[in-house]
Amino acid sequence: GAVVSQHPSWVICKSGTSVKIECRSLDFQATTMFWYRQFPKQSLMLMATSNEGSKATYEQGVEKDKFLINHASLTLSTLTVTSAHPEDSSFYICSARLGTSGALGEQFFGPGTRLTVL
Amino acid sequence: GDSVTQMEGPVTLSEEAFLTINCTYTATGYPSLFWYVQYPGEGLQLLLKATKADDKGSNKGFEATYRKETTSFHLEKGSVQVSDSAVYFCALSVLTGGFKTIFGAGTRLFVKA
């Protein structure tokens, strides 16, 4: 099946620094990628939808200047957490959509990146 | 709006017991339905899916049937194993205002030997 990778799998950073997380579709081209945030023992919260070559669409309440998303190619999307603070500590998961037609295109999820901000 | 409601956990079962995790949905369009599983420290994996009414998705002994009349997609397995311990998410995908997937809150399953 389709494989999505994320890098790094975990990262610890100091408050005030920026962290970049990469999401790659390894064996297919993904015109759309999604970024989710998951708090402990909770469901996934969609942060933004990333389309190749265009600006990301952010969900209500997500700061676009804090969570910068770039989808430079059909196989790579990046999420940069700028000026990270301890409350940004979370599990970030990306997914890529296989196919573009209708609701039949299922998503394939990356393994997630655990971010800890000290 | 579109939403997914699934039974609260945790669910604790003994090995070889029968599993049911209830899931109901509301959707303005005609959604595709999914069950995803998340093992500790990992991302989500697609467990099974169904794209139209009366479709039955199945994988690894798990089954779920798309019931349009009751707007449900309950997950079942006849005999659980310790290795099935994980969090299970019911989800729907729609094309309303662009492709979107909505997840239920997740149900944690513990299987005891």
Side-chain angles (χ1 to χ4, degrees):
Chain A
V3 179
V4 175
S5 70
Q6 277 184 246
H7 178 79
S9 54
W10 58 270
V11 57
I12 301 173
C13 70
K14 292 182 179 179
S15 188
T17 60
S18 295
V19 174
K20 179 184 284 188
I21 302 170
E22 292 186 348
C23 176
R24 293 181 186 273
S25 56
L26 297 185
D27 49 3
F28 67 101
Q29 293 184 331
T31 54
T32 306
M33 288 183 171
F34 305 88
W35 286 96
Y36 295 87
R37 183 173 179 177
Q38 186 180 30
F39 293 98
K41 299 184 180 181
Q42 293 189 31
S43 188
L44 279 70
M45 181 192 79
L46 180 64
M47 299 174 66
T49 301
S50 166
N51 291 295
E52 186 265 339
S54 63
K55 290 184 178 180
T57 302
Y58 290 81
E59 295 298 302
Q60 194 171 8
V62 177
E63 298 177 60
K64 60 180 67 175
D65 293 331
K66 180 165 188 62
F67 298 99
L68 301 179
I69 291 172
N70 182 276
H71 194 159
S73 76
L74 288 172
T75 59
L76 174 65
S77 176
T78 60
L79 167 68
T80 301
V81 183
T82 63
S83 187
H85 291 283
E87 57 264 31
D88 299 325
S89 299
S90 192
F91 196 50
Y92 293 88
I93 302 174
C94 75
S95 73
R97 187 181 170 195
L98 183 64
T100 58
S101 59
L104 301 180
E106 64 189 73
Q107 294 180 69
F108 292 88
F109 288 82
T113 297
R114 183 161 301 285
L115 170 63
T116 301
V117 184
L118 303 177
Chain B
D2 301 325
S3 67
V4 175
T5 302
Q6 61 182 106
M7 62 188 289
E8 285 188 28
V11 173
T12 302
L13 295 174
S14 296
E15 210 165 21
E16 299 184 3
F18 184 85
L19 169 71
T20 299
I21 301 178
N22 290 335
C23 171
T24 57
Y25 68 90
T26 57
T28 51
Y30 202 139
S32 294
L33 302 176
F34 304 87
W35 276 100
Y36 289 92
V37 59
Q38 185 178 33
Y39 298 101
E42 298 183 14
L44 272 68
Q45 300 174 28
L46 177 66
L47 182 59
L48 53 84
K49 66 177 180 179
T51 58
K52 60 182 188 296
D54 300 325
D55 264 4
K56 177 186 281 188
S58 61
N59 185 26
K60 299 180 181 179
F62 291 90
E63 292 183 340
T65 301
Y66 191 144
R67 300 288 187 199
K68 196 167 187 289
E69 64 277 12
T70 55
T71 63
S72 64
F73 193 54
H74 304 321
L75 181 68
E76 296 182 337
K77 185 174 185 182
S79 176
V80 293
Q81 306 299 312
V82 173
S83 58
D84 293 328
S85 298
V87 181
Y88 293 82
F89 293 93
C90 185
L92 66 83
S93 291
V94 290
L95 264 183
T96 308
F99 178 83
K100 184 170 288 189
T101 297
I102 297 167
F103 291 87
T107 302
R108 185 174 296 273
L109 170 67
F110 292 105
V111 180
K112 304 180 296 184

